[in-house]
Amino acid sequence: IVEDEARLRDLLVREITAMGHVASGFATAELAWPHICEGLDAVILDLNLPSMSGMELFRRMRSEGCSTAVIILTGFGAFDSAVQSIRWKAEDYLTKPCSLADIDRALSRVLVRRQENEQLRAVQRAAGDSFETLTTDEDATPPLKAHSDGTTLADMERKRIFEAMQKYAG
């Protein structure tokens, strides 16, 4: 949690911990930066911070390739920062005051998305292990791949897409 208001930061750390998450608070972007891209699930980020603004920190995260989820929590919501947050793929854009339930829902979405991504990577690894490269014309790039039972990658993708659509109700 990157929030310069000490009382709010302490409250958020306490309540988010009570929700079952591990939370740390930082008063400035500069203090938070060394910890942000170290495997955190999410950063709750105030935009109005002393010295480096929250948007500057968010920009730095994305320019450095840090894919940590960002939840904006600001008392000074503005159209420009909301649009930029969407472009940089913020998980949520909340304005103060907001309820703890709003924060909990945003954190829950982050965790669900992370689990889905981990499952997808596991499926991709498993699918990659079960495919063999077919001999192709030397000019064909990349080489075609097929499962040992003759199923094509397109067939498997189609099957996985339909399974996901069914699982998540479209």
Side-chain angles (χ1 to χ4, degrees), residues 25-85:
F26 302 94
T28 67
E30 293 84 359
L31 291 172
W33 174 247
H35 307 279
I36 287 195
C37 294
E38 293 181 350
L40 298 178
D41 290 323
V43 173
I44 297 176
L45 181 60
D46 184 13
L47 296 183
N48 191 24
L49 297 169
S51 191
M52 181 191 296
S53 75
M55 285 306 286
E56 289 174 49
L57 177 60
F58 196 5
R59 180 199 52 75
R60 183 174 181 187
M61 289 172 64
R62 293 308 186 236
S63 68
E64 299 273 335
C66 179
S67 60
T68 301
V70 174
I71 299 167
I72 301 295
L73 179 60
T74 185
F76 302 98
F79 181 76
D80 292 344
S81 63
V83 168
Q84 190 60 54
S85 296

Side-chain angles (χ1 to χ4, degrees), residues 30 43 63 98 118 121 134 140 142 149 155 164 166:
E30 293 84 359
V43 173
S63 68
C98 73
E118 289 172 1
R121 283 191 293 275
L134 295 175
D149 69 359
D155 292 336
Q166 195 170 34

Side-chain angles (χ1 to χ4, degrees), residues 77-134:
F79 181 76
D80 292 344
S81 63
V83 168
Q84 190 60 54
S85 296
I86 291 168
R87 288 183 182 143
W88 289 338
K89 299 187 183 346
E91 185 64 38
D92 212 330
Y93 189 96
L94 304 172
T95 55
K96 298 175 191 172
C98 73
S99 71
L100 291 172
D102 291 335
I103 294 171
D104 188 32
R105 279 190 292 275
L107 289 170
S108 294
R109 278 193 306 275
V110 167
L111 293 176
V112 165
R113 185 166 290 130
R114 183 178 180 139
Q115 290 170 343
E116 289 171 350
N117 288 339
E118 289 172 1
Q119 290 171 345
L120 177 60
R121 283 191 293 275
V123 167
Q124 288 170 335
R125 281 192 304 273
D129 292 343
S130 66
F131 280 76
E132 60 186 44
T133 302
L134 295 175

